[in-house]
Amino acid sequence: MSTISKYLLLLFSAILQVSFFNHISVYGYVPNFFLILLVALIFTESPSQFEAPYFAFFAGVIWDLLFAAKFGVCTILFFLLALALKRLREAFEPGFWFYLVFILVFFASYFALEPLMLGYNFQNLFQANNFARLGTNFAINFFCTLGAFIIMDYGFGFIRNKATF
Amino acid sequence: MVASSQTNKYLFLLGIFLVLYTFQSPIRSAFIFATSPLQVTGTFLASSVNGSLNYFFNAGNFQRENGILRLKIASLEAELAQLQEIRRENESLREGMQLNLQKKLNVISAKTILKNPQTDTLLVNKGEIHGVLKGMAVITPENILIGRVGEVYSSYSSVDMISNTSFPLFNAKVATSGLEVVVRGKGNGLMGLEFAPADKAFHEGDILVSTLTGGIFPEGLLVGKISKFKKNDTDPVPTVEVSSDYRFTGSDYVFLVAPK
């Protein structure tokens, strides 16, 4: 797939996520296909290139513009996480558990910062239903991404190193 | 050489970020404008898919619902006959008092573009250039209260719905008893009553309307219906849940209202 197609795919998936997928929910909880696609894209890029941080930056900008009430949080978060992933993959050859922890960190930090993106104040944040919603969305997206990762890894062989699974 | 190339990449991204951050309002407005046809199509498709799924899953209940609705229609027809008489009386009184709500309000009509169900916010296709102001009340043509304008962009505005968890507490009253209550958004189209008096009885189906107290909304707009009422002897405050009557269908006409 060409690089420009990947950028267009990210843009298209973000638009679909805020419109189509946002209304196809299970009891109000929506898997975020845009974030899952972003994780898949940055995993499949070679660590020797700077493409993954560019994808993450672009995705952050789109998500900040389309979804977040405050601009900047997603852009910085996605870029830093993709950059950290690139640096770590340059330093050693990671296996399954590394990717698992990365997915966990990615979604934990995203959903921890979501109240900031949406402009919640402290009173709103500590309402029980907000915590429950964030926690459930985190769990749904984590397991969806994990499923996608396992399909990518074993079904299509996108991730080269599978030794430690 | 490699380090310099890396620095250039970081500086390039930092530059883009600063430009976007500084001009976020017009850039967001232009981005929404450019992507809105796709978003509207996506939302419309989602409504169709949801509608089909609901039809499929609820097919078994149709006969029972049909019976209930027939009874309701009969009761409403009787009520309508009484209300028509009251309406005539009301109109003559209004004329007598020279009250005209439309003349006192600044009304802008708009269409909804999309709804974010996670945050209970809407986007409407009117903005600063159309005279939209932050804080304007947003209602449907049927006088159902949706929320108020949050952010205003040049040609778009976001609307914080009354069920939004970040929405400030506001006053409403129970239409039948006139009891004033305080409403708080709970997300997913639901609201709850704060500090609901324990000694007062609420009933499922009771209608809440807005009041002038607090100065957030005009008076008499439909806030929602009480959908759940639970009272325990041990709990000093009863649990009262209110569901909004507004259902987002993709592209609805709404009015943005502010006092002149």
Side-chain angles (χ1 to χ4, degrees), chain A residues 31-41 107 140-141 144-145 148:
Chain A
N32 195 322
F33 296 101
F34 168 71
L35 293 185
I36 295 169
L37 178 71
L38 172 65
V39 172
L41 278 179
F107 283 105
I140 285 175
N141 284 292
C144 284
T145 313

Side-chain angles (χ1 to χ4, degrees), chain A residues 69-90:
Chain A
K70 314 264 182 212
F71 184 86
V73 181
C74 282
T75 313
I76 294 171
L77 176 73
F78 292 171
F79 177 72
L80 289 181
L81 286 173
L83 193 65
L85 179 73
K86 174 181 149 53
R87 290 271 182 265
L88 288 168
R89 286 172 79 192
E90 278 171 344

